[in-house]
Amino acid sequence: MSDLARAAAIVAESKRIAVLSGAGISTESGIPDFRGPNGVWTRNPTAERLSNIQAYVSDPELRQRSWQLRASHTAWDAKPNAGHKALVELEKSGRLLAILTQNIDGLHQRAGNSAELVVELHGTMFDTVCLSCDDRRTMRAALDRVAGGEADPPCLVCGGILKSATISFGQPLDAEVIARAQDVARSCDLMLAVGSSLTVQPAAGLVGQAARAGATVVVCNGSETPYDGLATVVLRDPLGEVLPALI
Ligand code: NAD
């Protein structure tokens, strides 16, 4: 039996499926990942600084650059691909516990998965949050201010520094969000890890938690991950082919 057929049999038998997704599921929608062969950081290692909270808070020029990058982000026009759509079919089958996503691009919801079943571990790029008073608004409203000439728009409530409502390196995850994700990891019978290098904690650790609680693990990722050893099957083909074939 091929690895794909073995993995498909596991998916067919499983009743409580958790999906942990990463940037790799969105590359076929035109959004580059960080660490894949064409990843943003693979091509330009200094870009990593843009995702660091200390650098963001202390460097006004970096913030100005961040606003420009948000305005031109490929996710604004990206469309869900066959991989995202396969996960909608999984939800329709009634066996999807939740999608625990590290992505900030909203493509699972845009594909048609229920928002209540998508746990955004690292937040969303479509909102802003004030780092001082937590005031939350839409990214579109902030980008309109940028287009109107405010290179680094301050919070309209308290004047604090605004940032996309995403988790940068050096920022803790939302406690409720990670608690829910851990519940899902502990109660699934299959953990399907898709399109993630599984190098960012605590998200990647959800795979280990699921395995310790007795779940079967299947890893679908183009390159090696530190959790491949826990997986019953590892698939390396592109997710736009693998996920429709599995589900
Ligand atoms: P990563 O960049 O570390 O790893 C992505 C993995 O996906 C790589 O190992 C790559 O080999 C694999 N991959 C790429 N395209 C693939 C395909 N078509 N089929 C199969 N595998 C493929 O991404 P990560 O593990 O998600 O961690 C990076 C962090 O970056 C996350 O915290 C996430 O929030 C953020 N991020 C998000 C987006 C997004 O929202 N789309 C994009 C870039 C980065």
Side-chain angles (χ1 to χ4, degrees):
M1 202 192 260
S2 70
D3 283 348
L4 184 63
R6 279 172 63 217
I10 292 170
V11 171
E13 281 163 11
S14 302
K15 297 192 168 54
R16 300 184 314 280
I17 302 177
V19 175
L20 175 66
S21 71
I25 195 170
S26 294
T27 54
E28 289 166 75
S29 293
I31 305 174
D33 60 11
F34 281 169
R35 301 181 187 79
N38 290 311
V40 176
W41 295 355
T42 312
R43 292 153 73 107
N44 174 13
T46 61
E48 197 163 343
R49 209 174 126 70
L50 287 163
S51 301
N52 179 289
I53 190 68
Q54 279 81 26
Y56 189 83
V57 170
S58 62
D59 183 348
E61 267 178 43
L62 181 143
R63 288 202 295 277
Q64 292 182 18
R65 220 173 117 215
S66 297
W67 288 112
Q68 295 304 324
L69 290 171
R70 288 167 189 145
S72 61
H73 199 291
T74 41
W76 288 106
D77 298 319
K79 297 202 172 35
N81 63 56
H84 296 106
K85 288 177 191 160
L87 297 181
V88 178
E89 295 308 310
L90 182 61
E91 178 177 336
K92 286 185 191 157
S93 80
R95 298 173 302 131
L96 176 68
L97 271 189
I99 299 176
L100 313 174
T101 189
Q102 299 168 82
N103 296 345
I104 57 170
D105 58 27
L107 283 182
H108 289 303
Q109 297 92 320
R110 228 182 287 173
N113 280 116
S114 311
E116 311 85 71
L117 292 190
V118 181
V119 180
E120 293 181 311
L121 298 166
H122 295 164
T124 172
M125 56 168 282
F126 298 108
D127 285 336
T128 58
V129 69
C130 171
L131 296 179
S132 298
C133 76
D134 281 339
D135 184 58
R136 204 173 163 112
R137 310 212 172 192
T138 65
M139 175 60 75
R140 185 44 72 199
L143 291 178
D144 286 347
R145 292 172 64 196
V146 175
E150 292 181 75
D152 179 21
C155 173
L156 291 170
V157 176
C158 76
I161 293 175
L162 286 189
K163 193 180 95 57
S164 62
T166 56
I167 307 290
S168 294
F169 289 98
Q171 282 189 296
L173 269 65
D174 181 292
E176 275 178 31
V177 170
I178 189 69
R180 182 173 168 212
Q182 286 168 341
D183 267 356
V184 169
R186 282 191 293 257
S187 53
C188 65
D189 60 1
L190 170 62
M191 171 60 83
L192 197 57
V194 301
S196 174
S197 62
L198 299 177
T199 51
V200 178
Q201 296 294 353
L206 294 165
V207 176
Q209 283 186 20
R212 282 193 298 279
T216 303
V217 172
V218 170
V219 170
C220 307
N221 195 59
S223 44
E224 219 173 280
T225 85
Y227 291 87
D228 289 353
L230 285 184
T232 304
V233 186
V234 176
L235 299 172
R236 295 272 182 244
D237 290 325
L239 289 166
E241 295 166 21
V242 165
L243 290 179
L246 276 189
I247 292 166

